[in-house]
Amino acid sequence: MLRNPIQVRLEKFEPWQQITFMASLCERMYPNYVHYCEATGFAEPQTYRVILDSIWELLTVKNAKINFERQLEKLEEMIPELDDDSIYLTYPAIDACVALSTFLHGILDRDVLEEAMFKISQLSVLTVAQLVEAQTGEEVTDENQKDIDVICEEWDVQWAIFRPLREAEERDIDLIKDLRQELRDENVSNIGLELDY
């Protein structure tokens, strides 16, 4: 586990802040899944987009009615499997799906919502660490992570998502929409993959 002070601060979040934080991290992992699907023809990435959009809808539309159990069933059919011939992109694609699955489980069972948030925060960093290890052959540890720019950048982005959420005194629909739009406009994943649409 890679540690960062943000993990302690996240404990104070209300459920709407937790859900927004997780939606933001999944939004950043989405391009990884798209690139994998485009490279392999494995699945239609639009399904991931629709599931994630339904969560944003839960946050921004009053009385939104969404069947998250059905969304979870759809997602389970889209998770890639690893085998000996798997390309590197399979790993971040699986991480993106695991993050969204963890998120949906948290929404369905609010008792595990906070735990889901910590798992997704960690998973997003580990996806980056996995890339570093694949490129350099060097293991990323709690001790050396501060010397690795892309790991520091990932934590910085998580802090940048955290801060405005922490400052909001109550559920702020405009803030949620702004965060979502900003992430979509950037269109860059946690490992630097871009979407060109």
Side-chain angles (χ1 to χ4, degrees), residues 2-4 6-7 121-122 125 145 150-160:
L2 300 179
R3 286 192 287 271
N4 186 281
I6 195 171
Q7 291 153 334
S121 168
Q122 188 66 207
V125 174
Q145 65 168 321
V150 288
I151 300 287
C152 295
E153 283 165 22
E154 170 60 23
W155 286 125
D156 287 348
V157 170
Q158 290 198 26
W159 278 103

Side-chain angles (χ1 to χ4, degrees), residues 137-154:
E138 187 181 330
E139 185 185 356
V140 178
T141 65
D142 217 27
E143 289 69 40
N144 71 6
Q145 65 168 321
K146 290 183 180 72
D147 303 323
I148 303 168
D149 289 347
V150 288
I151 300 287
C152 295
E153 283 165 22
E154 170 60 23

Side-chain angles (χ1 to χ4, degrees), residues 56 176-187:
W56 286 113
I176 295 167
K177 287 180 175 176
D178 287 348
L179 256 176
R180 173 187 178 181
Q181 196 56 52
E182 194 178 318
L183 290 163
R184 289 214 182 152
D185 289 347
E186 281 176 15
N187 241 353

Side-chain angles (χ1 to χ4, degrees), residues 41 97 116 124 128 133 138 140 145 169:
C97 290
S124 190
V128 181
E133 289 167 8
E138 187 181 330
V140 178
Q145 65 168 321
E169 290 177 9

Side-chain angles (χ1 to χ4, degrees), residues 60-77:
T60 56
V61 177
K62 196 173 180 179
N63 301 323
K65 296 268 188 283
I66 298 143
N67 183 343
F68 285 112
E69 284 175 5
R70 178 72 194 109
Q71 303 296 343
L72 192 55
E73 284 169 18
K74 279 195 257 179
L75 177 63
E76 280 164 2
E77 295 164 13

Side-chain angles (χ1 to χ4, degrees), residues 26 72 75-76 79 96-106:
C26 286
L72 192 55
L75 177 63
E76 280 164 2
I79 302 175
C97 290
V98 169
L100 192 54
S101 172
T102 302
F103 194 179
L104 290 170
H105 281 289

Side-chain angles (χ1 to χ4, degrees), residues 16-17 162-172 175:
W16 75 268
Q17 293 166 310
F162 166 84
R163 286 188 190 98
L165 288 172
R166 181 195 57 196
E167 286 160 17
E169 290 177 9
E170 55 189 36
R171 185 170 171 153
D172 184 336
L175 169 64

